[in-house]
Amino acid sequence: MAEWKEIRCKRSGECCYFLKHRSGLPIYVWPKRDYTTAYAVFATNYGAIDVACLKGGAGEPVLLPAGTAHYLEHKLFENEDCDAFERYAEIGANANAYTSFDQTAYLFTCTQNLTESLEILLDFVQKPYFTEKTVEKERGIIGQEIRMGEDSPFRRVFCNMLTGLYKEHPVHTDIAGTVESIAQITPELLYSCYDTFYNLHNMVLAVSGNVTCEQVEAVADRLLRPCEPKVPRRAPIDEPRESVTPRTEVAMPVAVPLFYLGYKVPLDTSQGLGSETPEAFAAAEVLEELLGGRSSALYASLMKQELINTSFDVEYFNGPGYGVWIVGGESRDPDAVASAFRDEVARLRREGVDPEEFAAARNAVYGQMIGDLDNPESCGDLLIAAHMDGFGVFDLLEAVASLTVEAVERRLATDFEERASSLSIVSPL
Amino acid sequence: MQPTIHRLCAGVESLTLPDARFKTAQITVGLFLPLSRDTVEEYAILPRLLTRACAAYPDFTTLNRRLNELYGASVTGQTMRVGEAQLLLLTAEATADRYALHGEAVTASCAQLLCEMLFRPALENGAFRREDVETERRCLAEDVRAQINDKRWYARRRAEELLCPDEAYGIGQFGSAEVIEQLTPERVTAAWRRMLQCATVRVMLQSDGAMPQVEEAFRRGFSEVEGRAPVPCVTDTTTHLPELRRHTERMAINQSKLVMGFRTGCAEPHEDVAATRLMNAVLGGTPSSLLFRNVREKLSLCYYCSSAYDRMKGLLLVQSGVDEVNAARAEEEILRQVEALASGDFTEDDLEAARRCVTQSFESVGDSQSALAAWYITQTLLPQQSEPSDIRYAVETVDREAVIRAAKRLRCECVYLLAQEGRTDG
């Protein structure tokens, strides 16, 4: 057996293992005693924000139509001889996949036949099979998925906010693309994309729950084919500080207006699209609680004024080269909520964050993170997220535990600039 | 791990499940009441109202300070529907006692807090405070109105109404926004007192200690309720519509939603529930099901096409997202698949794949506290209690003939279509 590196967390008593497999694939295993379920995720560092690939995986750059990463995810499930869903079904595993802005992930949960399920996962993701016929067939299905998304006011309010904020960064394009953009996708394009991004060095495997390192390594040794160490780099983007538009409003069949007030966070993207530090992340998590948590002053005051309901939330949303504060929910008067939020940020900047409230918010975040460690799926997702962000698995937990009020105040001082904001509203017809 | 069930007093029992794997303790109080048009709204608001404050912690600030003292504990209130019972749920979650820094009894304190909320709410002159009621009824009414935002959810709700016009099931768990907006503090207070008297209650504890104190707190609370007389919750599982009901509703949308409502003729505690579960999985419960493979994959008629079985009420709903021009074809194809199932026209592989999928889902219940709570709370009203492993075994032993028999009982009674505005019917 190869030498696995042990990663231990004193605070939680949890322990997981890492191996850089000889094929080039980074592998994490998080065994959880007395659990029945195993959860596995095989992900590539490639998502909707990656708008160009190399022809044939090595030639000149080719621009990708919006929705390509998502289309590729759908098509990868189909191999030459059969469909991966059918293979999983034969052994009872529950499989799924998703495409986000910055990654594509293939996953399953199972309570039996872990080895066989892992074999299927590693096998089909390494065996692309795209023909004119199969690519054409998927167009109808994805077209329906896009149309379904168009009917979702949540998706609309979110996309309009991103379009209102970002001018250059591709995070403003819809993950699934449009019916028009996916019409341009061909088998050759999918192969070029695959060869550019589905390189084991650019991917990661995480397995958690009822699993051992030996089990995973044995399957990895059998199925992973070593590949050249090529990791595509995300090119720098010159994103202006200002938002594109301060306000957008569209009408849809909704009962109460939905709104997202977004603030574009200043990130240095001149050298490429990296991640923020664990401390900056932790500060954002705690600041979410302080600004919009159920015990925050703003929540109580807006509730009293009947300006929000329980859908109100403040969230930090980020990825390579983008970071957005989202203040969202339903309101009869979104502009009044936006104005109250601005006042609250100004008040906190002026008066500083109350140390007692800070400690309470930090405890709440910490308690939630500890609780998440009970769930094999959250553990697997944590492994993938930490790896993609370039952190250690428990760095974020540690950063929350040792967070200072100053770190939160630093974010408060830099993150909320009016010129970098955009209010998106979906109002009733 | 086997749970222990204790009767605390009339119609109130505790179910304890000690589990040292979890770092969190969870206490869930499930209160079951008959679902009725007369009371649905006034009960639906109670979980929100009870968890926002109580006499001991009368406002946001004092309550949250208390929760923070309990290591960031959380208390949530939810309203659900189980068959034709309305289920009011109060859940407290907190760090397990062994993670408390100074040996505090966090779990017992959380139970005490839940009891305060349930038995001693924040009242003023004998009624819930006007301001609290006004806020919560506004939020609840807005939530009910916001159901239209999720078209898939909305279409399902409308199909249930179409399928069960004269049955309590058709009301849903919240009732109507118009009635909610008219709720008064007096009416809600009377509903709270009635809830304490009439509800069938199960308190579920998942923790590694503190069980006896928690049980005692709830036993005392319910024993002190004057005039306590639990009312049985009965679900009507025999009604049928005289003929197929069809309804098309138009809205400014891009993708139509087709929902077909079937009666299965089999609800708890019928002996064929396991067979019907498995039949549902073969038909449309998994990504390898007949509906997924044929309606979505083979014919590319839709983005999703799946079925769900409500074993408490004995209904099966097939849901699909389609382009309106394909709706009739999708409907035809769905009926063809039901027909195929009933005539035994499915392979051994179809059956076994569905069986594995269902049995594995029961095996994983034990790995999640919320799945365990849902499992054991839902069973409160059933005459016989079962473990996830019992159901797994039951599904493992269902034979092909039983699946065919279950499919033969399916009867399509409604077809609901949520369609694009600006087109003509038919």
Side-chain angles (χ1 to χ4, degrees), chain A residues 49-95:
Chain A
I49 61 165
D50 298 294
V51 290
C53 70
L54 301 176
K55 194 166 186 184
E60 72 269 23
V62 184
L63 278 182
L64 298 170
T68 307
H70 175 252
Y71 209 106
L72 176 49
E73 173 228 302
H74 269 243
K75 280 327 308 166
L76 208 50
F77 270 96
E78 208 171 326
N79 288 160
E80 186 166 4
D81 34 4
C82 76
D83 185 281
F85 273 125
E86 287 170 27
R87 294 173 67 193
Y88 278 124
E90 278 168 25
I91 54 168
N94 185 2

Side-chain angles (χ1 to χ4, degrees), chain B residues 356-419:
Chain B
R356 275 186 296 267
C357 186
V358 176
T359 54
Q360 289 216 26
S361 70
F362 288 111
E363 284 170 1
S364 55
V365 168
D367 284 350
S368 144
Q369 283 182 317
S370 47
L372 285 164
W375 177 269
Y376 288 110
I377 294 284
T378 310
Q379 292 197 57
T380 306
L381 300 175
L382 298 182
Q384 204 178 344
Q385 300 301 299
S386 56
E387 298 300 310
S389 55
D390 300 333
I391 307 299
R392 193 192 69 208
Y393 180 74
V395 171
E396 269 168 6
T397 50
V398 167
D399 62 22
R400 188 182 173 83
E401 293 315 309
V403 169
I404 294 173
R405 218 167 43 234
K408 281 198 166 120
R409 277 199 292 259
L410 283 177
R411 199 174 130 182
C412 182
E413 295 195 354
C414 84
V415 178
Y416 169 84
L417 185 69
L418 180 63

Side-chain angles (χ1 to χ4, degrees), chain B residues 115-176:
Chain B
C115 285
E116 293 292 332
M117 291 172 159
L118 199 53
F119 302 113
R120 286 170 290 280
L123 304 182
E124 212 169 65
N125 303 321
F128 281 99
R129 295 175 299 195
R130 184 158 298 278
E131 191 194 328
D132 293 350
V133 173
E134 282 173 0
T135 302
E136 294 307 330
R137 77 182 181 200
R138 177 182 64 82
C139 289
L140 181 57
E142 287 183 4
D143 275 6
V144 170
R145 293 215 158 91
Q147 287 172 357
I148 202 172
N149 293 355
D150 182 343
K151 303 297 179 283
R152 196 166 166 170
W153 214 95
Y154 175 80
R156 198 186 79 196
R157 268 296 302 138
R158 298 285 287 139
E160 286 171 3
E161 288 171 4
L162 190 65
L163 185 59
C164 305
D166 302 316
E167 293 157 80
Y169 195 84
I171 306 169
Q173 67 263 50
F174 301 116
S176 84

Side-chain angles (χ1 to χ4, degrees), chain A residues 309-364:
Chain A
N309 57 31
T310 47
S311 63
F312 182 76
D313 198 22
V314 175
E315 194 195 339
Y316 185 57
F317 160 76
N318 67 329
Y322 64 90
V324 182
W325 280 97
I326 305 173
V327 183
E330 291 166 10
S331 175
R332 59 183 167 79
D333 188 353
D335 293 283
V337 178
S339 159
F341 183 79
R342 287 181 197 117
D343 292 347
E344 176 64 1
V345 169
R347 183 189 70 82
L348 281 171
R349 280 177 178 163
R350 203 170 52 240
E351 297 174 6
V353 173
D354 178 68
E356 213 174 291
E357 283 173 27
F358 163 77
R362 189 186 57 188
N363 283 359

